[in-house]
Amino acid sequence: MNRLTQEATAFAPATIANVAVGFDVLGFAFDGVGDRVTVRRSDSPGVRIASVSGESLPADPQENTAGVALLSMIEDLDLEQGFEVALQKGIPLSSGLGGSAASAVGAVVAANHLLEMSRSREDLLPYALAGEAVASGAAHGDNVVPCLFGGLVAVIPGVSGMTPVHLPVPNLHCVLVRPNIQLATKAQRQVLPATISLTEHARQSSYLAGFVSALHTGDVALMRTTM
């Protein structure tokens, strides 16, 4: 009798990225909304997107963030087995709430539960980033990292990849207001300038430093100024 777990479901929360002046640097998890990703063992190699509910997403695993994340995991770990994926989307498409990141994170967390050699969240991060890249055009971590690790985080580049640094949160609340429009991340990133001036870089850096300081001290007035 095969006693291995055959199916696992993970909840992946929505995320708010580019927090204040932290473009591609700061993000936080918002657990009131999220995706549920169910991953099943398969004797067939590769990944099959078995079903998607709540939104319309590509069934081709090479174009689906959950599929790409799992394919990256299979290749890196040299797995002989494959996976079937069922996505229950609770995050609207192109809503700025990290829907692509949530699908990728939920998939690798659920798959990790099925494997005998359990991997840490740090180990899972590159797979989820590979999934995010196919949707947004860049492997930026300010949605993936808070979705995977929770809380408010700064995404710091390190020798072995991205490192999450958790930041304190003052006694504040997040009110989520979402207009009924869609703005695809990949399209929005394409209109950004490739370079900025030294003056603008210094100004942005000073605001970011002030904002992070305000988080640590609880200085709401400074936070308001640096935002």
Side-chain angles (χ1 to χ4, degrees), residues 136-154:
S136 64
H140 59 92
D142 54 345
N143 285 114
V144 169
V145 172
C147 184
L148 183 58
F149 291 88
L152 171 61
V153 295

Side-chain angles (χ1 to χ4, degrees), residues 73 76 118-128 148-149:
M73 183 184 229
D76 183 59
S118 183
R119 313 285 286 184
S120 69
R121 284 180 291 181
E122 288 79 7
D123 292 333
L124 299 179
L125 179 56
Y127 311 141
L148 183 58
F149 291 88

Side-chain angles (χ1 to χ4, degrees), residues 155-197:
V155 182
I156 310 299
V159 175
S160 59
M162 295 183 183
T163 301
V165 176
H166 280 90
L167 299 171
V169 180
N171 187 23
L172 299 173
H173 298 276
C174 173
V175 177
L176 183 61
V177 179
R178 189 185 72 85
N180 189 27
I181 58 175
Q182 290 188 346
L183 295 172
T185 301
K186 183 178 291 186
Q188 295 302 305
R189 292 183 73 89
Q190 289 174 349
V191 302
L192 295 172
T195 60
I196 60 172
S197 68

Side-chain angles (χ1 to χ4, degrees), residues 27-137:
F28 65 86
F30 187 91
D31 64 2
V33 182
D35 291 354
R36 293 188 182 277
V37 186
T38 299
V39 177
R40 305 181 185 94
R41 290 181 182 273
S42 173
D43 293 331
S44 301
V47 175
R48 186 174 80 89
I49 307 300
S51 65
V52 179
S53 62
E55 292 288 352
S56 178
L57 293 175
D60 184 347
Q62 297 281 2
E63 299 177 2
N64 186 294
T65 61
V68 172
L70 289 175
L71 288 170
S72 174
M73 183 184 229
I74 289 172
E75 180 180 5
D76 183 59
L77 299 179
D78 196 24
L79 300 178
E80 295 183 359
Q81 71 171 71
F83 298 110
E84 289 190 357
V85 185
L87 292 169
Q88 184 179 346
K89 295 295 293 181
I91 302 174
L93 288 180
S94 301
S95 60
L97 296 174
S100 57
S103 294
V105 168
V108 297
V109 168
N112 184 55
H113 185 72
L114 298 179
L115 301 177
E116 291 181 352
M117 48 178 183
S118 183
R119 313 285 286 184
S120 69
R121 284 180 291 181
E122 288 79 7
D123 292 333
L124 299 179
L125 179 56
Y127 311 141
L129 287 171
E132 170 75 337
V134 75
S136 64

